Amino acid sequence: MTNICQSFPESLPTISTMDLAALRQQLLDLFCQVAYQEGDFVLSSGQKASYYINGKQVTLHPWGGLAVGRILLPLVPPETQAVAGLTLGADPIVTAVSVVGALENRPLTALIVRKETKGHGTRAYIEGPSLPEGSAVTVLEDVVTTGQSAMKAVDRLRDAGYQVNGVIALVDRQQGGAEFYQQAGLPFQSVFTIPDLQKRWAELQQG
């Protein structure tokens, strides 16, 4: 898969130092180039949709992953001690934010929440270093639809004794997720909304 996004600066120094506003625009373009598709789809929530966003095409892209880490890190509340998410979609996001945080002298533990308990050994739901009870954890997600997926991670983290201080997503499909988190008393923010992607995607198609 070569030259998948001609405008994305495939240079580690460039992405590491680029102004965040410019980097956000580059990341939006990458989403439109490789992650956004139109057609007939069934989402993990069971809902039917006329478009689909495969966030892993961005978060597992070498430069996309670095951009995700840089853009999400400033959104993580200052009291946060760990970032976490439900496997599989959140795995590269959690890792990227943790690694970028370490490079920027803001270490954040990375936690991966399993959908089912581990079938051997400790039978743990949560993978990663153990933190003191009451530690603040921010949940990360690639795409939010109804909000139920990330909420599974929230519930598991709370069961483990952690304090979840919010949910951050790369893309909000604006199909009830934000309202769901508001009702649950969880602060929610996203980098992009679906109108952001659709508007830019249409512009790129014309270009």
Side-chain angles (χ1 to χ4, degrees):
M1 194 184 249
T2 58
N3 203 26
I4 57 176
C5 185
Q6 295 180 358
S7 65
F8 205 77
E10 297 200 359
S11 164
L12 180 62
T14 300
I15 298 168
S16 297
T17 58
M18 182 182 292
D19 172 80
L20 289 181
L23 187 59
R24 181 185 181 279
Q25 183 61 48
Q26 295 287 346
L27 187 63
L28 176 61
D29 285 355
L30 187 62
F31 261 101
C32 294
Q33 292 267 351
V34 305
Y36 181 83
Q37 305 173 57
E38 294 195 345
D40 294 320
F41 303 96
V42 177
L43 308 178
S44 60
S45 63
Q47 296 182 6
K48 293 184 178 180
S50 60
Y51 64 89
Y52 180 67
I53 305 164
N54 185 354
K56 289 182 284 296
Q57 293 295 321
V58 171
T59 59
L60 291 171
H61 182 285
W63 314 124
L66 177 57
V68 163
R70 285 201 62 213
I71 288 172
L72 288 184
L73 182 64
L75 302 181
V76 176
E79 74 276 9
T80 299
Q81 295 168 268
V83 286
L86 189 70
T87 195
L88 173 72
D91 294 4
I93 305 173
V94 167
T95 301
V97 172
S98 179
V99 170
V100 171
L103 290 173
E104 297 192 10
N105 198 30
R106 190 188 171 187
L108 293 167
T109 298
L111 302 175
I112 300 298
V113 182
R114 291 176 175 269
K115 294 179 181 178
E116 303 292 340
T117 183
K118 190 174 183 178
H120 60 280
T122 61
R123 295 186 174 274
Y125 268 107
I126 300 172
E127 297 291 351
S130 296
L131 299 173
E133 186 173 350
S135 295
V137 180
T138 301
V139 169
L140 308 180
E141 181 69 288
D142 55 356
V143 180
V144 163
T145 304
T146 65
Q148 296 292 337
S149 180
M151 197 65 190
K152 294 178 182 177
V154 172
D155 290 340
R156 294 298 180 194
L157 290 161
R158 285 174 170 171
D159 289 344
Y162 297 131
Q163 174 195 350
V164 178
N165 61 4
V167 177
I168 305 174
L170 290 173
V171 181
D172 178 10
R173 292 177 61 104
Q174 296 188 326
Q175 290 181 266
E179 292 78 9
F180 174 73
Y181 294 130
Q182 183 179 21
Q183 292 173 1
L186 279 170
F188 172 71
Q189 52 188 324
S190 67
V191 178
F192 305 115
T193 62
I194 188 59
D196 294 332
L197 265 67
Q198 291 178 328
K199 178 183 177 182
R200 184 56 179 157
W201 184 81
E203 291 172 350
L204 292 173
Q205 297 305 301
Q206 295 172 0

